[in-house]
Amino acid sequence: MGSITPCLWFDGQAEEAAALYTSVVRNSRIVSVSRVGSSESDPALTVSFELDGQAFVALNGGPQFSFTEAVSFQIACADQEEVDRHWDALTDGGEESRCGWLKDRYGLSWQIIPTVLQSLIGGPDADGAQRAVAAMLSMGKLDIAALESAYRGN
């Protein structure tokens, strides 16, 4: 059975974007770069890379298409330090949104989500879950302590 590899369309920034993404996401690497010419200084046509073991291809396809929020990538974060690190790196030159969403400098949407979020918004205390959802809806970058406090009713 074949595998599925997302291909991300860029307007000349494929190699730069792959370098950023592999520097931010753990267990990541650039696998190969196919260039328009034979020199290392020639622009990249495609860049194959992995983010946390998931294969991707970045294509310098031109200005015809751009990213929308209809597709985003989630990064599960174990703690606030991870949330902060990913958020800061990916919003640099990009744009913050709500509920843990952001757009990076290339317009690609990401969700920076603490792993504890699901247990808060789907927890056994229905009132606590509603408070956690209300708190999340008021945030840009998610704040784990504030979400937990809202769940507890503090």
Side-chain angles (χ1 to χ4, degrees):
M1 183 142 161
S3 64
I4 297 173
T5 303
C7 181
L8 305 174
W9 184 292
F10 293 90
D11 183 16
Q13 314 97 339
E15 191 168 13
E16 178 184 315
L20 172 65
Y21 302 155
T22 57
S23 74
V24 171
V25 179
R26 69 180 175 271
N27 189 31
S28 299
R29 67 189 180 107
I30 292 178
V31 176
S32 65
V33 178
S34 298
R35 301 204 176 274
V36 173
S38 58
S39 169
E40 280 295 311
S41 63
D42 289 328
L45 177 59
T46 63
V47 181
S48 296
F49 63 103
E50 294 176 357
L51 299 179
D52 200 16
Q54 167 66 50
F56 287 84
V57 172
L59 167 70
N60 278 326
Q64 296 89 338
F65 303 109
S66 57
F67 298 115
T68 73
E69 292 86 349
V71 173
S72 63
F73 296 109
Q74 288 186 351
I75 300 177
C77 300
D79 55 32
Q80 192 65 48
E81 182 181 339
E82 276 192 53
V83 169
D84 295 346
R85 185 174 60 80
H86 287 97
W87 186 269
D88 293 345
L90 292 170
T91 57
D92 183 16
E95 134 186 5
E96 297 183 9
S97 189
R98 294 184 41 195
C99 305
W101 287 64
L102 63 88
K103 281 187 185 179
D104 67 26
R105 67 184 77 163
Y106 311 104
L108 185 60
S109 292
W110 297 83
Q111 298 174 55
I112 310 303
I113 308 297
T115 54
V116 71
L117 182 65
Q118 188 55 45
S119 68
L120 298 173
I121 65 174
D125 176 357
D127 291 336
Q130 288 303 309
R131 289 189 302 269
V133 168
M136 178 188 70
L137 292 173
S138 72
M139 296 177 184
K141 176 176 66 175
L142 298 183
D143 179 327
I144 296 171
L147 289 166
E148 291 172 334
S149 179
Y151 182 81
R152 291 188 307 268
N154 299 340

